[in-house]
């Protein structure tokens, strides 16, 4: 039973992150288009999502690193995503 539950839990968390990051990335496009063209907006939105995912993964996986820098990066990227989501709502 554990052989089924562990992969299922991992799948649920990965699927949840992929869905929410995809929606956030799409919302970010309009915000980034305020100052960039559409191609650059796509690159920025994808880079923000990859940066947030890399920050989360490094916090979980790496033990011997300065976690303050990673937390600051993650918080900064999250704040930009919050701003772009709020912009897209209005």
């Amino acid at each position: 039973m554990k052989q089924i539950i562990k992969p299922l839990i991992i799948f649920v968390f990965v699927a949840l992150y992929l869905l929410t990051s995809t929606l956030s990335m799409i919302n970010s496009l309009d915000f980034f288009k305020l100052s960039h063209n559409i191609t650059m907006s796509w690159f920025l939105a994808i880079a923000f999502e990859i940066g947030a995912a890399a920050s989360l993964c490094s916090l979980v996986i790496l033990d011997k690193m300065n976690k303050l820098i990673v937390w600051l990066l993650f918080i900064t990227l999250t704040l930009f995503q919050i701003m772009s989501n709020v912009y897209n709502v209005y």
Side-chain angles (χ1 to χ4, degrees):
M1 190 68 172
K2 281 188 177 183
Q3 293 175 345
I4 296 172
I5 291 179
K6 186 175 179 180
L8 182 63
I9 291 172
I10 291 171
F11 171 76
V12 168
F13 278 105
V14 169
L16 177 65
Y17 185 80
L18 288 175
L19 286 172
T20 57
S21 66
T22 301
L23 289 173
S24 179
M25 182 178 63
I26 291 169
N27 288 339
S28 299
L29 288 174
D30 288 334
F31 182 68
F32 291 137
K33 281 194 292 187
L34 291 173
S35 59
H36 300 288
N37 63 23
I38 187 67
T39 305
M40 185 61 73
S41 297
W42 272 103
F43 282 126
L44 282 170
I46 292 169
F48 272 53
E49 295 303 329
I50 290 173
S55 298
L56 281 177
C57 289
S58 67
L59 287 171
V60 171
I61 294 172
L62 302 176
D63 291 332
K64 298 179 182 179
M65 66 176 295
N66 188 354
K67 291 188 178 187
L68 177 65
I69 294 171
V70 178
W71 274 111
L72 289 175
L73 175 63
F74 179 71
I75 290 169
T76 303
L77 291 173
T78 303
L79 289 174
F80 273 104
Q81 289 171 337
I82 289 170
M83 277 192 319
S84 65
N85 288 330
V86 170
Y87 173 78
N88 198 36
V89 169
Y90 294 107

